[in-house]
Amino acid sequence: MIQPAKRLDTVQEYYFSKKLREVRDLAASGKPIINMGIGSPDLQPPENVLVAISESLSDANAHKYQSYQGLPELRTAISEFYNSKFAVNTNPENEVLPLMGSKEGIMHISMAFLNEGDKVLIPNPGYPTYTSVTKLVGAEPLFYKLGEEQNWQPDFNALENEDLSDVKLMWVNYPHMPTGTNATLETFKKLVAFGKKHNILIINDNPYSFILNDNPISILQVAGAKDIALELNSLSKTFNMAGWRVGMLLGNSTYINEVLKVKSNMDSGMFYGIQKGAIKALQLSDKWFQAQNKIYEERRKLVWQLADKLNAKYDKNATGLFVWAKIPEGKKAEEITDAVLYDKDIFITPGSIFGSQGEDYIRFSLCVSEVVITEAISRF
């Protein structure tokens, strides 16, 4: 047998990839499984987005290779979106890079900037992909703890006490997944100052900007942020387009160009019709967000009731597509979620998969209809 690359020894199969096979097997055996584990929007994309992709199929260039940088009009739409929603000015020619999902960007950024042995600051709890990608490129994760006592914001005093000499990147994710905590401009200002002081590239991963959030902000709003920060965003959650794989990276043209060197060697550009649909989505008014959030508000109220059934505590001010809930003292997250799966046929996510700081928490997805959540409640 041909042996796999040694880099694969550093990572395991993604939790959801493995666990969802088990969930599917349970469903196939006849179990009435309710999946409240993942944040894959169940609602439809905007109608005019679907029309745009359909109408684009007969365009002369629709089925050709596309530019690695995306259509100029898509970059312009992204730039105008950031100007309208965040008051951030970017040059669509060289400060905006469309991506095939922001997850792709995590790998591209890591490949563009990390050498073997470099260290990377990663939030705990945080998105597991930051860690796995760091290991795949031969860099070393250095976890910084986030806790409820500091409202899940970075502890800069603790960070300053770390050995930062080999740190090259710092992953930040606000609004935060899995906790739903929003950032503040003060946090972003401190992050920019921290990055400049220690020559660390700060990347804010910002795909939950508009979900149940009355105050969407960007790290690029901070004066001087482009000197040391990049921002990822995505249409997946905001516009119910997860399967379309449309993301974006914004920031200093020099940094963007380094990422483009990687990207241009790994794909041949996003499908033309998807880009046309993305343009329409980015041009929608705030009425779209308001309508989506009204649905999520009603779902969240029901999920709170479900959390109550498990005696789990939650923050009603949290944002995003999830409810992050603290379980009773002495319990283990995975024991609770497995018990709920096997006894109640409901799949929810143990907070432990997001790091040691998530051990005392569980996470519910809002990507389930009110009818289904009500059914879940009735099983207790």
Side-chain angles (χ1 to χ4, degrees), residues 9 17 38 41 74 89 121 139-140 160 162 165 177 189 192 195 202 240 266 282 290 292 297 319 326 336 356 374:
D9 293 340
S17 173
I38 62 173
L74 174 57
N89 293 314
L121 286 167
E140 180 183 340
E160 290 291 352
E162 295 280 354
S165 54
M177 197 292 297
K189 288 176 182 177
V192 169
I202 310 293
N240 305 326
M266 295 183 69
L282 290 162
Q290 293 162 5
Q292 296 296 291
E297 283 172 3
T319 65
K326 189 170 187 177
I336 287 180
S356 60
T374 300

Side-chain angles (χ1 to χ4, degrees), residues 182-354:
N182 208 353
T184 66
L185 276 177
E186 185 62 27
T187 293
F188 282 156
K189 288 176 182 177
K190 289 180 179 179
L191 283 164
V192 169
F194 177 78
K196 289 183 177 182
K197 178 180 177 180
H198 298 284
N199 198 33
I200 297 171
L201 183 62
I202 310 293
I203 304 103
N204 184 46
D205 190 10
N206 193 12
Y208 297 95
S209 322
F210 300 94
I211 308 297
L212 293 173
N213 184 13
D214 295 330
N215 183 36
I217 59 175
S218 163
I219 196 170
L220 299 179
Q221 290 175 239
V222 176
K226 285 184 188 177
D227 296 337
I228 203 67
L230 293 168
E231 182 155 288
L232 286 165
N233 213 318
S234 168
L235 274 63
S236 295
K237 320 296 185 181
T238 305
F239 298 103
N240 305 326
M241 294 164 62
W244 292 51
R245 309 312 304 138
V246 182
M248 61 198 79
L249 179 66
L250 300 95
N252 183 297
S253 61
T254 301
Y255 297 140
I256 295 292
N257 191 56
E258 298 305 323
V259 177
L260 180 59
K261 289 179 186 177
V262 175
K263 178 176 169 57
S264 61
N265 280 288
M266 295 183 69
D267 67 53
S268 298
M270 193 187 306
F271 176 57
Y272 177 87
I274 286 177
Q275 294 188 69
K276 287 292 189 177
I279 291 166
K280 289 295 184 183
L282 290 162
Q283 293 171 343
L284 287 171
S285 74
D286 287 345
K287 290 181 180 179
W288 167 260
F289 308 118
Q290 293 162 5
Q292 296 296 291
N293 285 333
K294 186 175 181 180
I295 295 170
Y296 287 131
E297 283 172 3
E298 295 307 311
R299 292 180 176 187
R300 185 171 60 178
K301 291 175 185 175
L302 290 171
V303 170
W304 287 340
Q305 293 181 37
L306 186 56
D308 290 339
K309 296 287 186 181
L310 293 167
N311 296 314
K313 307 300 180 185
Y314 42 85
D315 178 6
K316 290 189 174 183
N317 295 314
T319 65
L321 275 180
F322 307 101
V323 169
W324 179 251
K326 189 170 187 177
I327 58 180
E329 191 173 347
K331 301 286 188 179
K332 290 187 177 295
E334 200 154 356
E335 289 178 359
I336 287 180
T337 57
D338 279 349
V340 171
L341 176 60
Y342 304 137
D343 297 342
K344 308 295 184 183
D345 299 319
I346 302 168
F347 173 49
I348 54 180
T349 304
S352 52
I353 75 162
F354 304 107

Side-chain angles (χ1 to χ4, degrees), residues 69-96:
Q69 294 174 276
L71 295 170
E73 52 265 45
L74 174 57
R75 296 197 306 275
T76 296
I78 293 170
S79 182
E80 291 176 347
F81 180 84
Y82 255 71
N83 181 263
S84 170
K85 307 304 181 189
F86 300 113
V88 168
N89 293 314
T90 53
N91 184 340
E93 288 300 313
N94 54 23
E95 293 185 328
V96 174

Side-chain angles (χ1 to χ4, degrees), residues 2 30 40 57 105 161 166 176 194 197 216 235 240 247 293 338 373:
I2 302 298
S40 180
L57 297 181
N161 288 326
D166 295 321
H176 185 245
F194 177 78
K197 178 180 177 180
L235 274 63
N240 305 326
N293 285 333
D338 279 349
I373 301 171

